[in-house]
Amino acid sequence: MAGFLLNRLWQSIILLLIVSIIGFGVLNMIPGGPLSQFALDASMTQADIDRLTRQLGLDQPLPLRYLDWAWQMLQGDWGRSYRDGTPVLQVIGRHLPATLLLMGTSTAISIAIGTWIGIRGATHRYSGFDYVATIGAMVALSIPTFWFGLVGIYLFSLKLGWVPAGNMYTIGDQSWLNYLHHLVLPSLVLSLVHVATWSRYMRSATLDVINQDFIKTARAKGVPERRVLMKHVVGNALLPMITLAGMQLPTILGGALVTETVFTWPGMGRLFLDSLGYSDYPVIMGLLMLSAFLTLLGNLIADIIVATVDPRIRLS
């Protein structure tokens, strides 16, 4: 088990290094550069641009700039925002809780509903419910997330007035009920696609387990069907789904970017788009590395859980 963890940790470190090199290189090769916004200011002279270039270290070769950035990040200094000089960690820290709240809520909803739909679809194959679930999953996977968001705002906010159309809370009211009221629609929209994905995988995993010999043996011994389903079928079908949960993190992060933009949710996705507009490279790199770290951490935790509960992987 220790060797497995060390191997996965070493792979994660290498992947983070590769992501940082590619991200830093691509970002700094974009035409215009981080000083493009200042060039649009008529009051900025070429001397001012040159002075900012030297102050930000942009006159150095790209490899040296990367090494300096990487060394500072390893020491806990992620740089300062080009917009207002605020430390990058502080900027991200103001938006991270909103994204984690949205992602956590949508993930819990998608796992709970998707698992139930998948198990019921597998135990009632070719029933009306199974056909409706299959068609619904295909529709949810075919339509962009932002479309569901816009339709949800139109129906449930503008027409029915059940939920707010955007933002994280109402100004002057920061109670938990107000947060939950604003969280309902964006979390449901973000979870919709993942419910479809989770339900299809769960249905396939459940069908695979149902056809195993040990399930037939349990039924032949007279074990009640409910106990067979809950103890043997669901427990074994959930093992590959744990790995899927870790692999879904990048998709959830990407969906959060779109959802936060549609609902003006003050999370990392909204911050990322704003930083792109301002060519705020330190913040963009900080968000990129944090997203990569969270993705690798999620996959690592999923692998540890699977290795812990599945003796075949643990012993191998």
Side-chain angles (χ1 to χ4, degrees), residues 120-127 130-131 203 207 210-211:
R120 183 171 178 80
T123 55
H124 297 76
R125 272 186 297 176
Y126 310 125
S127 64
D130 191 25
Y131 283 119
R203 181 182 183 275
L207 286 174
I210 285 177
N211 295 322

Side-chain angles (χ1 to χ4, degrees), residues 158-170:
L158 300 181
K159 288 297 183 180
L160 300 176
W162 291 353
V163 290
N167 293 319
M168 190 175 177
Y169 58 88
T170 303

Side-chain angles (χ1 to χ4, degrees), residues 44 63 82 111 113 125 129 147 167 176-177 225 231 235 238 252 265 300:
M44 295 289 291
Y82 287 166
I111 289 177
I113 299 178
R125 272 186 297 176
F129 177 87
W147 188 87
N167 293 319
W176 279 107
L177 287 177
E225 186 64 23
K231 183 177 180 180
L238 282 176
I252 297 175
W265 190 266
L300 180 61

Side-chain angles (χ1 to χ4, degrees), residues 42 78 112 287:
W78 289 26
L287 291 171

Side-chain angles (χ1 to χ4, degrees), residues 7-23 66 288-289 292-293 295-297 299:
N7 184 45
R8 294 292 289 136
L9 182 61
W10 175 245
Q11 293 176 4
S12 299
I13 293 175
I14 294 177
L15 285 173
L16 281 175
L17 178 62
I18 294 174
V19 168
S20 67
I21 293 174
I22 295 176
Y66 170 77
L288 175 64
M289 295 307 297
F293 173 77
T295 301
L296 292 173
L297 180 62
N299 281 276

